[in-house]
Amino acid sequence: MGKGFFKVPIAKNEPVLTYAQGTKERENIINAYKGMFNSNIEIPMFINGEEVKSTNKETLSPPHDHKKIVGYYHKADKDHIEEAISTAIEARKLWANLPWEQRAGIFLKAAELVAGPYRSKINAATMIAQSKTVHQAEIDAACEFTDFLRFNVQFMTEIYSDQPQSTNQSWNRIEYRPLEGFTYAITPFNFTAIAGNLPACMALMGNVVVWKPSDSQIYSAKVIIDIFKEAGVPPGVINVVYGDPEMITETVLSSPDFSGLHFTGSTFVFKDLWKKIGERIHSYKTYPRIVGETGGKDFILAHNSAISKQVSAGIIRGAFEFQGQKCSAASRAYLPKSTWPEIKKNLIKELSSISMGSPENLSNFVTAVIHEKSFDKIVDYIERAKKSSDANIIAGGNYDKSKGYFIEPTVIVTTDPHYETMGKELFGPIITIFIYNDSAFKSTLELIDKTSEYALTGAIFSTDRYAIDMACRGLRNAAGNFYINDKPTGAVVGQQPFGGARASGTNDKAGSAQNLLRWVSPRTIKETFISSENYRYPFLD
Ligand code: NAD
């Protein structure tokens, strides 16, 4: 550290802009979207601070207009991955020794670049690549990413200031060393903020990183790289590679210097990665840290004291914003028989007002799902529900992939609480509802707890404090993020640290100091002022 105990700015959440008619931000985003949609961008990899091209190029197309090509990206071969690893290890010599305040300066600057000059660009890229509405892009790419960068700097200083007690005879200190070797970030398509945060928070703590973004998020990943570069992340500290995930991962995990995996994505992939790391455990120089946030089968439970309109609004926002492609999206609901008719009436009425289409038209609430594979999978479930005697589709159920991968917000009501869409993560705009007898509230808690392997998010709607308390206790292990009278989505950095247990992940809470602690290896230093000159203790005399 330099000469002073420096204080960092107190982190504040970035305000969400409205994009209402007549606002400057609305004009800016429309212009940025049009410009980027009609350009033909070339996206190289980013290794050792250099743009790296290969002979293997792939096209980029928006999910809502899949015949339109907006650019190309370059895919890695094994040599690129090996270069990214050796570059990172070389960069570590300087980066791991850089005083923390210099690292903080870089990432605080990155936060202001996201919130300011890059705001329209990162939002427009997220609208194009991931088909987010402007509001969904704003809360993710602009605000959550800015929040991660700001809050992580503050959390880092809180960690560093956590020091042991000392005595007059000896001074005890802990230094929070970065991990030895290099770390590996694998990120999902659905949040630009997560894509940026996973490599950034490891680098902030002094680590060097190989980052592999999702193929479906590369357009917005490119904006993140431009921001890191402009903020002053030195060459080799964060290296970005695209391409075959298995080849890239095999190469990374084969290195004895691999020291940590920061993953967000699906559960099966994460478990497979854990297994691969375990199989190679004897080859590593250190025990790799493994952090993974994965799938969910998130629930809404309404008690018969709940206000029906609040329940239907929670279902619509929780299940259908971003087409249900949030790990936290509500995808199963348990509603009481007595108030179901009223909730149903509101739900169907409200859903009939939702418009679907390209995010370029700002009045659309629902856009396309991410790719054809996902579209086909979701459609299979809808078709099976149409044929099942246990399921009844009461809203939506239509789809069309001729121009983009559009699926209507779909509500299935089932008489079987273990119907297939009650337990599996579909990652699309479908919610399945089970109606319970009002008197079975307590046993419904048990049903919710036991139905799925996941435990990510969940919500209780009720105005009865005894029912709320019963749900809080009965569902203690069913969700890592639990909401009372709110939808189960929309966690805010610094306010609701995010993550779930069971099959949903290691629950290391993105957007908290707990997560950052996984990327350091503390060293305890004891300094004794007057050392003994005689080995004998008094009891020996
Ligand atoms: P995904 O698992 O398909 O892909 C995630 C990343 O893993 C991508 O970069 C992908 O290329 C890579 N990958 C895929 N197969 C791989 C393999 N065999 N080896 C190594 N890497 C591989 O997930 P997705 O579709 O991008 O994202 C959706 C999933 O992510 C959902 O399950 C969702 O619940 C989860 N998610 C969880 C959280 C959370 O905080 N819990 C947040 C966002 C998303």
Side-chain angles (χ1 to χ4, degrees):
M1 196 174 90
K3 292 169 180 57
F5 296 108
F6 307 124
K7 285 188 183 155
V8 296
I10 294 168
K12 289 200 180 72
N13 291 113
E14 176 60 19
V16 178
L17 301 182
T18 66
Y19 296 85
Q21 293 278 3
T23 56
K24 187 74 191 148
E25 67 261 20
R26 189 175 177 106
E27 191 188 322
N28 290 344
I29 194 71
I30 289 169
N31 289 339
Y33 182 98
K34 284 202 169 104
M36 290 165 80
F37 190 78
N38 294 315
S39 67
N40 195 8
I41 193 174
E42 181 152 9
I43 304 183
M45 290 171 280
F46 190 69
I47 302 171
N48 202 17
E50 304 283 339
E51 297 198 330
V52 176
K53 296 182 178 173
S54 72
T55 48
N56 191 358
K57 288 205 293 185
E58 192 69 64
T59 56
L60 290 166
S61 297
H64 46 276
D65 194 352
H66 51 64
K67 291 193 183 70
K68 165 85 182 165
I69 292 173
V70 292
Y72 297 82
Y73 67 97
H74 290 256
K75 293 166 85 167
D77 56 39
K78 199 163 183 263
D79 290 346
H80 294 115
I81 311 307
E82 281 165 355
E83 195 191 334
I85 294 170
S86 56
T87 282
I89 292 171
E90 187 57 31
R92 190 182 183 282
K93 291 176 187 162
L94 289 176
W95 183 246
N97 287 312
L98 191 70
W100 68 262
E101 70 272 16
Q102 306 298 346
R103 285 185 267 123
I106 291 172
F107 289 102
L108 288 171
K109 176 170 180 177
E112 295 325 295
L113 290 170
V114 179
Y118 280 87
R119 194 177 197 118
S120 298
K121 201 172 177 195
I122 201 165
N123 281 343
T126 302
M127 292 164 77
I128 293 169
Q130 294 123 285
S131 205
K132 290 206 173 192
T133 62
V134 70
H135 175 69
Q136 292 300 314
E138 168 77 2
I139 58 174
D140 163 20
C143 299
E144 189 174 6
F145 188 27
T146 302
D147 291 350
F148 274 131
L149 293 163
R150 288 180 185 153
F151 277 87
N152 281 341
V153 168
Q154 185 180 310
F155 295 144
M156 173 178 71
T157 61
E158 288 166 12
I159 288 173
Y160 286 175
S161 62
D162 187 6
Q163 294 293 326
Q165 295 205 343
S166 296
T167 65
N168 289 346
Q169 288 76 40
S170 61
W171 181 17
N172 299 316
R173 329 192 261 278
I174 289 186
E175 80 174 335
Y176 294 89
R177 303 171 300 183
L179 306 180
E180 277 194 284
F182 72 97
T183 59
Y184 183 32
I186 305 181
T187 56
F189 80 84
N190 66 337
F191 277 90
T192 302
I194 295 177
N197 178 49
L198 265 51
C201 74
M202 294 195 290
L204 174 69
M205 301 310 284
N207 298 287
V208 288
V209 189
V210 175
W211 169 28
K212 195 211 85 59
S214 159
D215 292 348
S216 304
Q217 188 262 327
I218 288 174
Y219 204 121
S220 49
K222 168 74 175 107
V223 185
I224 296 172
I225 297 163
D226 291 345
I227 291 166
F228 287 163
K229 203 171 160 189
E230 192 170 332
V233 176
V237 171
I238 297 177
N239 303 280
V240 192
V241 290
Y242 310 121
D244 175 7
E246 297 215 6
M247 180 280 289
I248 296 173
T249 301
E250 280 298 319
T251 314
V252 166
L253 299 187
S254 298
S255 168
D257 292 301
F258 164 68
S259 63
L261 169 69
H262 204 183
F263 176 85
T264 300
S266 55
T267 302
F268 182 83
V269 171
F270 182 54
K271 287 187 176 175
D272 204 43
L273 290 167
W274 193 302
K275 188 168 152 225
K276 284 181 176 155
I277 294 168
E279 282 164 359
R280 291 173 169 85
I281 199 68
H282 290 288
S283 69
Y284 298 128
K285 294 180 184 164
T286 185
Y287 293 99
R289 298 282 165 91
I290 305 177
V291 171
E293 299 305 331
T294 76
K297 189 68 195 173
D298 312 299
F299 59 85
I300 289 179
L301 164 66
H303 183 251
N304 60 14
S305 63
I307 295 163
S308 297
K309 278 193 172 167
Q310 293 180 359
V311 177
S312 50
I315 290 175
I316 294 176
R317 284 189 170 173
F320 301 129
E321 282 187 304
F322 190 35
Q323 297 74 259
Q325 299 171 117
K326 299 185 184 188
C327 48
S328 54
S331 61
R332 52 184 173 133
Y334 300 79
L335 309 178
K337 201 170 181 178
S338 63
T339 56
W340 167 234
E342 201 185 332
I343 298 171
K344 182 179 173 185
K345 204 171 92 197
N346 289 334
L347 194 59
I348 291 175
K349 182 170 157 258
E350 291 288 273
L351 282 172
S352 67
S353 70
I354 283 179
S355 57
M356 182 167 74
S358 164
E360 188 180 2
N361 177 349
L362 267 50
S363 66
N364 286 326
F365 184 79
V366 168
T367 67
V369 298
I370 194 69
H371 45 50
E372 188 167 22
K373 197 169 152 215
S374 176
F375 177 94
D376 291 345
K377 181 181 122 179
I378 298 162
V379 163
D380 269 358
Y381 280 101
I382 292 178
E383 284 306 310
R384 281 209 293 279
K386 283 180 182 168
K387 292 186 194 107
S388 169
S389 57
D390 292 328
N392 180 22
I393 296 179
I394 61 160
N398 298 309
Y399 45 82
D400 180 359
K401 66 173 173 182
S402 52
K403 184 171 167 71
Y405 302 114
F406 293 105
I407 300 176
E408 278 180 357
T410 298
V411 181
I412 301 173
V413 177
T414 183
T415 49
D416 173 7
H418 298 289
Y419 181 67
E420 61 172 357
T421 58
M422 288 301 277
K424 288 204 169 69
E425 184 186 53
L426 312 186
F427 227 57
I430 299 185
I431 188 162
T432 310
I433 295 173
F434 175 72
I435 314 299
Y436 69 90
N437 280 322
D438 294 34
S439 58
F441 182 71
K442 195 162 176 230
S443 59
T444 302
L445 300 178
E446 223 168 285
L447 179 67
I448 293 171
D449 187 55
K450 298 274 183 301
T451 299
S452 129
E453 62 175 321
Y454 302 107
L456 193 52
T457 75
I460 164 83
F461 280 85
S462 173
T463 56
D464 177 334
R465 194 43 73 170
Y466 292 111
I468 292 171
D469 180 52
M470 203 189 286
C472 281
R473 282 185 282 119
L475 297 170
R476 176 165 287 135
N477 295 310
N481 282 59
F482 189 64
Y483 293 79
I484 300 169
N485 291 321
D486 207 342
K487 65 186 167 59
T489 57
V492 175
V493 178
Q495 297 187 36
Q496 299 99 24
F498 190 80
R502 296 187 183 162
S504 292
T506 53
N507 199 11
D508 288 293
K509 296 291 186 212
S512 78
Q514 268 164 282
N515 181 287
L516 300 187
L517 267 174
R518 301 299 311 275
W519 310 119
V520 290
S521 176
R523 173 168 81 144
T524 304
I525 300 171
K526 176 188 178 189
E527 179 174 352
T528 296
F529 298 127
I530 301 175
S531 310
S532 296
E533 294 181 6
N534 179 349
Y535 86 90
R536 290 180 186 79
Y537 295 104
F539 72 84
L540 292 173
D541 292 336

